[in-house]
Amino acid sequence: MPFLRFKGFQKDFISSISSTVIQQFSKLTGVVQEKIKIELLLVEQLNNSPLSLEIYMFPRDQELHDSIVKELYTILSEHGFRDVHIFFILLSPHLYYKEGQPLVSNHSEPFLIT
């Protein structure tokens, strides 16, 4: 956790930038590299949908969200992808479950949120 999900990109390209993306994301957020997940969504486009990067993570300060997007956009634009939609899907630790238990609950000890 977090998950970075790329849509509309070629697998070879995402594989080629994944190390850089993980390193920079870790550097900005303090999340250890082993916890950062990169996925490629294989979708069948039914109309003209844009390339996108969905970032699933727990909420952080707006400045950090802005810095993450700036860095990821820089990486993508250096490879010619300037029209990519980047957005966050913010997760609630109360509604995220690990081993059948919410990460944060009033009834139990929380898991470490990363």
Side-chain angles (χ1 to χ4, degrees), residues 6 20 29 39 59 63-64 80-81 86 88 94 96-97 109:
F6 292 83
T20 301
T29 62
E39 300 176 338
E63 295 80 19
L64 181 54
F81 296 102
I86 301 173
F88 292 90
H94 296 280
Y96 191 98
Y97 295 80
E109 290 294 317

mmCIF file of all heavy atoms in Angstrom, residues 6 20 29 39 59 63-64 80-81 86 88 94 96-97 109:
data_model
loop_
_atom_site.group_PDB
_atom_site.id
_atom_site.type_symbol
_atom_site.label_atom_id
_atom_site.label_comp_id
_atom_site.label_asym_id
_atom_site.label_seq_id
_atom_site.Cartn_x
_atom_site.Cartn_y
_atom_site.Cartn_z
ATOM 1 N N PHE A 6 -1.757 2.350 -13.454
ATOM 2 C CA PHE A 6 -1.642 2.994 -14.752
ATOM 3 C C PHE A 6 -2.665 2.390 -15.702
ATOM 4 O O PHE A 6 -2.832 1.174 -15.749
ATOM 5 C CB PHE A 6 -0.239 2.791 -15.314
ATOM 6 C CG PHE A 6 0.839 3.519 -14.544
ATOM 7 C CD1 PHE A 6 1.391 2.959 -13.401
ATOM 8 C CD2 PHE A 6 1.288 4.757 -14.973
ATOM 9 C CE1 PHE A 6 2.376 3.627 -12.695
ATOM 10 C CE2 PHE A 6 2.278 5.426 -14.271
ATOM 11 C CZ PHE A 6 2.821 4.857 -13.127
ATOM 12 N N THR A 20 12.081 3.958 -11.007
ATOM 13 C CA THR A 20 12.164 5.401 -10.778
ATOM 14 C C THR A 20 10.922 5.909 -10.064
ATOM 15 O O THR A 20 11.021 6.697 -9.116
ATOM 16 C CB THR A 20 12.336 6.148 -12.116
ATOM 17 O OG1 THR A 20 13.520 5.673 -12.753
ATOM 18 C CG2 THR A 20 12.423 7.643 -11.918
ATOM 19 N N THR A 29 7.099 10.505 0.098
ATOM 20 C CA THR A 29 6.096 10.130 1.103
ATOM 21 C C THR A 29 6.668 9.491 2.355
ATOM 22 O O THR A 29 5.993 9.445 3.377
ATOM 23 C CB THR A 29 5.080 9.137 0.501
ATOM 24 O OG1 THR A 29 5.776 7.945 0.120
ATOM 25 C CG2 THR A 29 4.351 9.742 -0.682
ATOM 26 N N GLU A 39 0.630 -1.163 -10.648
ATOM 27 C CA GLU A 39 -0.211 -2.059 -11.420
ATOM 28 C C GLU A 39 -0.525 -1.423 -12.774
ATOM 29 O O GLU A 39 -0.591 -0.200 -12.892
ATOM 30 C CB GLU A 39 -1.520 -2.339 -10.682
ATOM 31 C CG GLU A 39 -1.301 -2.993 -9.332
ATOM 32 C CD GLU A 39 -2.574 -3.193 -8.548
ATOM 33 O OE1 GLU A 39 -3.572 -2.495 -8.803
ATOM 34 O OE2 GLU A 39 -2.572 -4.063 -7.661
ATOM 35 N N PRO A 59 -5.178 9.675 2.928
ATOM 36 C CA PRO A 59 -5.014 11.123 2.748
ATOM 37 C C PRO A 59 -3.736 11.644 3.409
ATOM 38 O O PRO A 59 -3.343 11.198 4.488
ATOM 39 C CB PRO A 59 -6.246 11.714 3.443
ATOM 40 C CG PRO A 59 -7.228 10.609 3.524
ATOM 41 C CD PRO A 59 -6.425 9.341 3.602
ATOM 42 N N GLU A 63 -0.187 19.690 0.096
ATOM 43 C CA GLU A 63 1.126 19.977 -0.473
ATOM 44 C C GLU A 63 1.836 18.695 -0.895
ATOM 45 O O GLU A 63 2.526 18.667 -1.915
ATOM 46 C CB GLU A 63 1.996 20.762 0.520
ATOM 47 C CG GLU A 63 1.485 22.145 0.834
ATOM 48 C CD GLU A 63 0.350 22.170 1.870
ATOM 49 O OE1 GLU A 63 0.169 21.172 2.630
ATOM 50 O OE2 GLU A 63 -0.386 23.166 1.904
ATOM 51 N N LEU A 64 1.669 17.632 -0.108
ATOM 52 C CA LEU A 64 2.303 16.368 -0.464
ATOM 53 C C LEU A 64 1.626 15.760 -1.687
ATOM 54 O O LEU A 64 2.306 15.277 -2.598
ATOM 55 C CB LEU A 64 2.271 15.378 0.706
ATOM 56 C CG LEU A 64 2.931 14.026 0.430
ATOM 57 C CD1 LEU A 64 4.370 14.185 -0.060
ATOM 58 C CD2 LEU A 64 2.872 13.152 1.661
ATOM 59 N N GLY A 80 7.375 11.718 -23.079
ATOM 60 C CA GLY A 80 6.423 12.122 -24.108
ATOM 61 C C GLY A 80 4.958 12.022 -23.725
ATOM 62 O O GLY A 80 4.090 12.290 -24.544
ATOM 63 N N PHE A 81 4.665 11.648 -22.484
ATOM 64 C CA PHE A 81 3.276 11.525 -22.041
ATOM 65 C C PHE A 81 2.900 12.772 -21.241
ATOM 66 O O PHE A 81 3.026 12.820 -20.026
ATOM 67 C CB PHE A 81 3.085 10.261 -21.199
ATOM 68 C CG PHE A 81 3.335 9.001 -21.968
ATOM 69 C CD1 PHE A 81 4.528 8.307 -21.810
ATOM 70 C CD2 PHE A 81 2.399 8.518 -22.862
ATOM 71 C CE1 PHE A 81 4.770 7.139 -22.521
ATOM 72 C CE2 PHE A 81 2.629 7.357 -23.581
ATOM 73 C CZ PHE A 81 3.823 6.673 -23.409
ATOM 74 N N ILE A 86 -3.951 12.407 -13.820
ATOM 75 C CA ILE A 86 -3.443 11.832 -12.581
ATOM 76 C C ILE A 86 -4.418 12.231 -11.481
ATOM 77 O O ILE A 86 -4.742 13.414 -11.334
ATOM 78 C CB ILE A 86 -2.029 12.343 -12.256
ATOM 79 C CG1 ILE A 86 -1.060 11.998 -13.392
ATOM 80 C CG2 ILE A 86 -1.545 11.756 -10.926
ATOM 81 C CD1 ILE A 86 0.335 12.599 -13.244
ATOM 82 N N PHE A 88 -6.113 11.039 -7.347
ATOM 83 C CA PHE A 88 -6.051 10.251 -6.125
ATOM 84 C C PHE A 88 -7.418 9.646 -5.829
ATOM 85 O O PHE A 88 -8.446 10.293 -6.023
ATOM 86 C CB PHE A 88 -5.642 11.122 -4.935
ATOM 87 C CG PHE A 88 -4.224 11.599 -5.008
ATOM 88 C CD1 PHE A 88 -3.920 12.790 -5.640
ATOM 89 C CD2 PHE A 88 -3.198 10.860 -4.461
ATOM 90 C CE1 PHE A 88 -2.614 13.246 -5.722
ATOM 91 C CE2 PHE A 88 -1.882 11.299 -4.535
ATOM 92 C CZ PHE A 88 -1.599 12.496 -5.164
ATOM 93 N N HIS A 94 -10.432 3.362 8.307
ATOM 94 C CA HIS A 94 -11.565 2.684 8.944
ATOM 95 C C HIS A 94 -12.241 1.704 7.994
ATOM 96 O O HIS A 94 -12.938 0.789 8.426
ATOM 97 C CB HIS A 94 -12.602 3.704 9.430
ATOM 98 C CG HIS A 94 -12.089 4.606 10.502
ATOM 99 N ND1 HIS A 94 -11.996 4.234 11.823
ATOM 100 C CD2 HIS A 94 -11.620 5.872 10.434
ATOM 101 C CE1 HIS A 94 -11.501 5.229 12.531
ATOM 102 N NE2 HIS A 94 -11.260 6.240 11.713
ATOM 103 N N TYR A 96 -10.470 0.173 5.343
ATOM 104 C CA TYR A 96 -9.429 -0.631 4.697
ATOM 105 C C TYR A 96 -9.107 -1.772 5.653
ATOM 106 O O TYR A 96 -8.754 -1.542 6.813
ATOM 107 C CB TYR A 96 -8.185 0.219 4.429
ATOM 108 C CG TYR A 96 -7.178 -0.458 3.533
ATOM 109 C CD1 TYR A 96 -7.131 -0.171 2.178
ATOM 110 C CD2 TYR A 96 -6.271 -1.386 4.035
ATOM 111 C CE1 TYR A 96 -6.216 -0.786 1.348
ATOM 112 C CE2 TYR A 96 -5.354 -2.001 3.214
ATOM 113 C CZ TYR A 96 -5.323 -1.695 1.872
ATOM 114 O OH TYR A 96 -4.408 -2.311 1.044
ATOM 115 N N TYR A 97 -9.222 -2.989 5.167
ATOM 116 C CA TYR A 97 -9.101 -4.156 6.037
ATOM 117 C C TYR A 97 -7.859 -4.962 5.701
ATOM 118 O O TYR A 97 -7.514 -5.163 4.540
ATOM 119 C CB TYR A 97 -10.347 -5.036 5.900
ATOM 120 C CG TYR A 97 -11.585 -4.330 6.396
ATOM 121 C CD1 TYR A 97 -12.243 -3.405 5.601
ATOM 122 C CD2 TYR A 97 -12.074 -4.569 7.671
ATOM 123 C CE1 TYR A 97 -13.369 -2.738 6.054
ATOM 124 C CE2 TYR A 97 -13.198 -3.905 8.142
ATOM 125 C CZ TYR A 97 -13.839 -2.999 7.327
ATOM 126 O OH TYR A 97 -14.933 -2.328 7.786
ATOM 127 N N GLU A 109 -6.664 -2.558 18.448
ATOM 128 C CA GLU A 109 -5.416 -1.858 18.153
ATOM 129 C C GLU A 109 -5.273 -1.710 16.647
ATOM 130 O O GLU A 109 -5.470 -2.684 15.917
ATOM 131 C CB GLU A 109 -4.226 -2.652 18.706
ATOM 132 C CG GLU A 109 -4.153 -2.657 20.217
ATOM 133 C CD GLU A 109 -3.880 -1.305 20.800
ATOM 134 O OE1 GLU A 109 -3.015 -0.578 20.272
ATOM 135 O OE2 GLU A 109 -4.539 -0.941 21.785
#
